[in-house]
């Protein structure tokens, strides 16, 4: 780890406190700004929760779920939360502080973690990095969105260890017969259950 990366890793949390004080000092929230910020914040929380549900730290290289679209979905969700907080403060000074802090610190953190993943997973990570953007690519997201359809049947079959048997039976009995035709018609390959 180089000296700049070590500095950012060590001071990331410590410097967030004075930044938070400044953000609150300059904030001029309105009910509307808080509402819009909260709505956007829900999206950020959803992305982070989805990413956390797929992550297997230090076990395997996670390439499914949100990790199929960005190598850093947790930080992408955090970026959306930063924008949400910026909107809620209703202050351009607070927004500059929040976004500047995020860009400064998290760009270094993402690069440091990428080097660790490359060291730990070598060729597998290099192949993954070639096909998935570091943070966000509109072209990649658009392509990924239209490449595959989400399928209730596949979700119920593949997620069976994680969902209750009653819910799985409900989905397979009620929804899946309709969805199987759509999934197979769209070219999906059904796994062995």
């Amino acid at each position: 780890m180089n000296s700049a990366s070590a500095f950012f890793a060590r001071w990331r949390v410590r410097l967030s406190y004075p930044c938070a004080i400044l953000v609150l000092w300059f904030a001029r929230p309105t009910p509307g700004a808080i509402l819009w910020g909260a709505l956007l914040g829900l999206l950020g929380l959803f992305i982070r929760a989805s990413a956390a549900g797929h992550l297997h730290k230090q076990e395997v290289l996670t390439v499914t779920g949100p990790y199929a679209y960005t190598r850093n979905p947790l930080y992408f969700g955090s970026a959306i939360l930063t924008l949400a907080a910026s909107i809620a403060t209703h202050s351009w000074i607070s927004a500059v502080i929040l976004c500047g802090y995020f860009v400064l610190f998290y760009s270094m953190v993402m690069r440091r973690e990428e080097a660790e993943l490359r060291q730990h997973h070598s060729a597998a990570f290099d192949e993954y990095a070639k096909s998935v953007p570091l943070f966000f690519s509109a072209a990649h997201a658009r392509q990924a969105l239209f490449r595959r359809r989400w399928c209730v049947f596949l979700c119920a079959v593949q997620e069976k260890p994680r969902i209750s048997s009653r819910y799985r039976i409900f989905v397979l009995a009620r929804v899946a017969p309709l969805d199987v035709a759509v999934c197979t018609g769209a070219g999906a390959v059904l796994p062995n259950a």
Side-chain angles (χ1 to χ4, degrees):
M1 184 179 342
N2 65 28
S3 61
S5 185
F7 170 81
F8 287 113
R10 186 172 42 252
W11 286 91
R12 175 177 59 172
V13 174
R14 293 176 188 152
L15 290 178
S16 70
Y17 299 123
C19 286
I21 291 169
L22 288 172
V23 165
L24 293 173
W25 179 263
F26 290 110
R28 300 292 179 256
T30 64
I34 292 170
L35 176 65
W36 285 110
L39 291 174
L40 184 59
L42 289 174
L43 174 64
L45 288 174
F46 173 77
I47 291 171
R48 285 191 55 86
S50 179
H54 283 85
L55 184 61
H56 302 280
K57 284 189 173 184
Q58 306 302 328
E59 294 175 26
V60 296
L61 180 61
T62 306
V63 297
T64 59
Y67 291 89
Y69 308 107
T70 173
R71 296 194 307 263
N72 292 286
L74 287 167
Y75 295 139
F76 183 66
S78 294
I80 293 173
L81 287 168
T82 300
L83 289 174
S86 297
I87 290 168
T89 64
H90 202 247
S91 161
W92 68 269
I93 297 173
S94 294
V96 167
I97 294 168
L98 285 166
C99 294
Y101 175 87
F102 184 87
V103 168
L104 179 66
F105 283 93
Y106 284 93
S107 62
M108 296 297 278
V109 169
M110 283 188 283
R111 292 295 179 190
R112 180 180 53 84
E113 290 178 359
E114 183 177 82
E116 292 170 4
L117 287 169
R118 183 168 277 118
Q119 181 181 6
H120 194 263
H121 298 288
S122 55
F125 180 80
D126 289 335
E127 188 64 32
Y128 172 63
K130 286 179 191 173
S131 61
V132 178
L134 173 69
F135 197 63
F136 179 77
S137 163
H140 183 78
R142 201 174 315 108
Q143 177 190 8
L145 180 64
F146 294 108
R147 182 174 52 221
R148 277 203 183 120
R149 291 187 39 168
W150 184 79
C151 176
V152 171
F153 181 78
L154 291 176
C155 180
V157 170
Q158 292 176 13
E159 297 295 314
K160 64 184 172 188
R162 294 185 195 100
I163 59 177
S164 75
S165 58
R166 284 186 196 152
Y167 177 72
R168 188 170 62 249
I169 290 168
F170 170 78
V171 168
L172 291 175
R174 300 285 184 180
V175 181
L178 302 172
D179 201 40
V180 168
V182 173
C183 292
T184 54
V189 178
L190 299 177
N192 296 331

